[in-house]
Amino acid sequence: MRRLAAVLTALILCGACSEPPQKEIDRAQGAIDAARAAGAERYAAEEFTAATTALQQAHDAVTQRDYRTALSRALTASERAQEAARQAADEKARARAQAEVAITAAGNALQQLRTALKAAEAGKVTAKQLAPARKTAERIDRTLQEARTHVANERYPDATASVKNVIPEAGEHIRALSELSNRSRTIRRRR
């Protein structure tokens, strides 16, 4: 209700003035810059685009000496930019949480793979048979490091995407190692 009253008051005042609403345009630009810094381009793209479009419309209206429209569009740009910043903060927090969960799950899968490798070694599975799982474990370890770097750089969706195949891949090798261990035990018993 306050915003509506402020907009109406500004519109009435602007109707009487013959200067561009530079203060409101500058305020809208500041709000857009703050939203950009908050990650709105990535995490609240629709609202951010609406804000930048409204600001451009305000500039266009100034060029056409339509200061009432310029004021209205500048105020809209400011409000949309503030909303974009709020949305970006929420989405960024959600993306960070998803990335952390994905990295933890991938780390657990790597640990299970390493445990399966140790069990297979103890079960006398040959080095040649263990090689693919070892390579996968090394690759998963590098992938986890990369994902953690993405998180440190606040690129949460990239972190989540980088580890999305880790669990199924580790699971395949764990099953294969289990089968190799069982076969090796069966062969040793027959001897």
Side-chain angles (χ1 to χ4, degrees):
M1 206 53 171
R2 257 192 244 166
R3 283 186 185 162
L4 181 61
V7 169
L8 289 175
T9 302
L11 286 174
I12 291 168
L13 291 175
C14 187
C17 65
S18 60
E19 292 184 15
Q22 194 58 49
K23 183 171 67 172
E24 289 81 3
I25 289 173
D26 291 343
R27 190 173 300 132
Q29 183 63 57
I32 287 171
D33 292 343
R36 181 177 288 116
E41 286 177 299
R42 182 172 202 166
Y43 296 102
E46 186 176 319
E47 199 67 27
F48 184 78
T49 299
T52 58
T53 299
L55 181 60
Q56 184 57 50
Q57 291 170 344
H59 285 296
D60 293 346
V62 167
T63 302
Q64 297 170 4
R65 297 185 175 272
D66 183 357
Y67 301 140
R68 185 176 307 182
T69 300
L71 175 63
S72 174
R73 302 312 298 154
L75 293 172
T76 298
S78 185
E79 288 176 17
R80 300 294 292 263
Q82 290 170 10
E83 180 59 29
R86 280 190 290 278
Q87 284 180 11
D90 292 345
E91 286 302 312
K92 199 173 189 181
R94 191 176 357 270
R96 180 184 178 108
Q98 288 174 342
E100 289 173 351
V101 166
I103 289 171
T104 299
N108 291 340
L110 176 59
Q111 187 57 43
Q112 290 170 358
L113 178 56
R114 287 180 174 156
T115 300
L117 275 164
K118 287 179 184 176
E121 287 171 0
K124 307 295 184 200
V125 174
T126 67
K128 184 178 179 180
Q129 291 172 317
L130 295 173
R134 282 190 177 129
K135 285 181 183 177
T136 296
E138 290 170 6
R139 190 174 64 254
I140 290 172
D141 191 41
R142 286 190 303 273
T143 298
L144 282 167
Q145 290 172 13
E146 177 184 307
R148 289 181 185 111
T149 299
H150 287 317
V151 168
N153 293 322
E154 297 185 353
R155 294 191 321 260
Y156 308 120
D158 295 339
T160 302
S162 68
V163 298
K164 78 175 187 174
N165 294 323
V166 166
I167 294 172
E169 192 174 2
E172 287 176 30
H173 285 285
I174 291 168
R175 283 187 293 283
L177 289 170
S178 178
E179 289 173 14
L180 289 170
S181 293
N182 289 339
R183 251 187 262 146
S184 179
R185 268 184 254 144
T186 302
I187 292 170
R188 281 196 317 265
R189 282 186 206 144
R190 288 183 185 167
R191 289 182 187 169

